[in-house]
């Protein structure tokens, strides 16, 4: 099992300085999420091959490995122009992944929840184009349902991953999305079983609490999705339940610290989360293995 850091709160740290900063926080692994000078949200990657090679060298010097890259592209639409562009961007992201010596890309289903059949059709078209590239390059893909995707619930997402039926495609469970996925962490994790290779670890408040009045949006009834990525213990996610379920399936994948929104405490927060995750692993995994 590996514990990684999503450095979203360190996005102002220059890319080539990230490895030393992450190592200084006690992490041996990093998950590179979208950033404007690397692979931005919904856009063609910005990083060039020379910088990728320099980053690989800096990572080696710092003793930090990369578990995965996380591109987010509009490969499920809403339009064909966006879908075709996303496929091109994905192919470049795969090239970067290979050049960096990383074997996994994580991502979201994307697409519009109000038009799920159209989004699914576009998603499958994109997968038909991209799966041969993933398989040829030996790169794996872990998919998660996300609030406001065409698939938001955990169980249907597991079924979709299973339906892709490729040894290179697996499922990612995101703890701070628990209340948007159906509030069934244990059931979703158990259903995923061996398909579950990656977990994003953070807390969130239950937006449905207090008769739906925990968060008030105006006008009432609009379709916003509200959640946070907070440190464990600050919200309503039952981390013990989730980690017990992970132990129950013999999980041996990646746990990523995924806290956002507290940039002024980025390094301290990351260090606290590393300790919290290690405590949960020690508590729930019978062999006592602490990554």
């Amino acid at each position: 099992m590996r514990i990684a850091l999503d450095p979203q709160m360190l996005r102002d740290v220059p890319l080539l300085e990230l490895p030393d900063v992450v190592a200084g926080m006690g992490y041996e692994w990093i998950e590179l999420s979208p950033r404007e000078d690397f692979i931005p949200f919904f856009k063609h990657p910005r990083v060039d091959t020379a910088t990728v090679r320099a980053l690989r060298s800096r990572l080696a010097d710092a003793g930090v490995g990369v578990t995965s890259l996380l591109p987010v592209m509009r490969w499920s639409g809403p339009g064909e122009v966006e879908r075709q562009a996303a496929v091109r961007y994905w192919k470049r992201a795969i090239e970067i992944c290979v050049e960096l010596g990383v074997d996994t890309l994580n991502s979201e289903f994307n697409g519009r929840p109000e038009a799920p059949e159209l989004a699914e059709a576009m998603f499958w078209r994109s997968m038909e184009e991209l799966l041969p590239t993933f398989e040829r390059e030996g790169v794996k893909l872990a998919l998660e349902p996300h609030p406001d995707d065409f698939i938001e619930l955990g169980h249907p997402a597991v079924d979709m991953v299973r339906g892709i039926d490729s040894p290179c495609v697996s499922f990612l469970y995101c703890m701070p999305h628990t209340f948007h996925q159906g509030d069934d962490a244990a059931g979703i994790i158990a259903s995923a079983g061996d398909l579950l290779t990656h977990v994003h670890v953070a807390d969130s408040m239950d937006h449905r609490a207090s008769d739906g009045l925990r968060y008030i949006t105006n006008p009432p009834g609009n379709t916003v999705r509200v959640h946070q990525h907070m440190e464990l213990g600050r919200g309503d996610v039952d981390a013990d339940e989730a980690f017990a379920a992970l132990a129950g399936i013999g999980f041996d994948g990646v746990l990523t610290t995924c806290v956002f929104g507290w940039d002024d405490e980025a390094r301290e927060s990351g260090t606290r989360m590393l300790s919290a995750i290690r405590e949960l692993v020690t508590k729930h995994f019978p062999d006592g293995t602490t990554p």
Side-chain angles (χ1 to χ4, degrees):
M1 199 180 310
R2 294 172 288 171
I3 301 177
L5 175 72
D6 179 336
Q8 192 275 343
M9 293 197 296
L10 298 170
R11 61 194 175 280
D12 292 333
V13 174
L15 181 65
L16 297 182
E17 295 178 19
L18 260 183
D20 285 334
V21 172
V22 171
M25 294 166 61
Y27 286 86
E28 297 178 1
W29 299 95
I30 186 171
E31 176 180 357
L32 282 169
S33 56
R35 46 182 288 158
E36 287 299 315
D37 59 355
F38 190 64
I39 304 177
F41 282 104
F42 309 125
K43 299 175 185 176
H44 191 281
R46 300 312 200 227
V47 68
D48 61 7
T49 300
T51 303
V52 173
R53 291 174 178 171
L55 176 59
R56 185 170 183 171
S57 177
R58 295 288 186 92
L59 287 160
D61 291 344
V64 173
V66 180
T67 59
S68 48
L69 312 184
L70 201 164
V72 179
M73 305 296 181
R74 300 196 191 281
W75 57 350
S76 301
E80 179 62 13
V81 171
E82 296 97 319
R83 190 201 69 79
Q84 290 182 14
V87 168
R88 292 194 297 272
Y89 305 162
W90 263 107
K91 289 180 178 178
R92 175 57 182 151
I94 294 170
E95 291 176 354
I96 292 167
C97 192
V98 172
E99 186 67 44
L100 197 55
V102 179
D103 67 358
T104 301
L105 289 159
N106 297 338
S107 196
E108 304 163 5
F109 287 101
N110 214 251
R112 298 303 312 142
E114 64 271 13
E117 292 182 5
L118 176 61
E120 178 170 341
M122 290 191 171
F123 173 78
W124 282 111
R125 184 180 299 172
S126 296
M127 290 301 291
E128 288 166 1
E129 294 183 42
L130 289 169
L131 265 180
T133 305
F134 278 103
E135 293 169 351
R136 182 180 66 250
E137 298 295 342
V139 174
K140 294 174 285 188
L141 172 67
L143 290 170
E144 65 162 305
H146 194 281
D148 206 44
D149 280 3
F150 81 90
I151 297 181
E152 299 181 272
L153 295 173
H155 287 289
V158 172
D159 290 342
M160 176 66 87
V161 170
R162 188 168 283 116
I164 294 171
D165 199 22
S166 169
C168 72
V169 182
S170 62
F171 178 69
L172 184 157
Y173 185 75
C174 186
M175 287 174 55
H177 299 164
T178 289
F179 305 112
H180 288 281
Q181 289 198 47
D183 195 11
D184 184 22
I188 294 166
I189 289 168
S191 176
D194 291 343
L195 284 176
L196 179 58
T197 59
H198 204 120
V199 178
H200 285 167
V201 183
D203 210 335
S204 186
M205 304 293 284
D206 185 350
H207 63 283
R208 309 162 304 168
S210 299
D211 195 30
L213 295 177
R214 172 162 278 169
Y215 299 100
I216 298 172
T217 60
N218 293 299
N222 61 34
T223 58
V224 298
R225 274 71 164 173
V226 178
H227 72 283
Q228 311 89 0
H229 286 238
M230 305 186 296
E231 288 184 41
L232 292 174
R234 295 189 177 184
D236 299 320
V237 175
D238 190 335
D240 279 311
E241 177 189 48
F243 273 77
L246 291 171
I249 65 168
F251 179 78
D252 191 27
V254 177
L255 303 166
T256 296
T257 295
C258 208
V259 175
F260 308 149
W262 281 267
D263 292 2
D264 57 330
E265 297 182 38
R267 303 188 192 200
E268 298 85 352
S269 174
T271 300
R272 290 193 294 266
M273 281 290 291
L274 181 59
S275 296
I277 293 171
R278 283 174 169 165
E279 288 178 9
L280 284 162
V281 171
T282 300
K283 177 178 180 180
H284 291 284
F285 284 74
D287 63 1
T289 300
T290 304

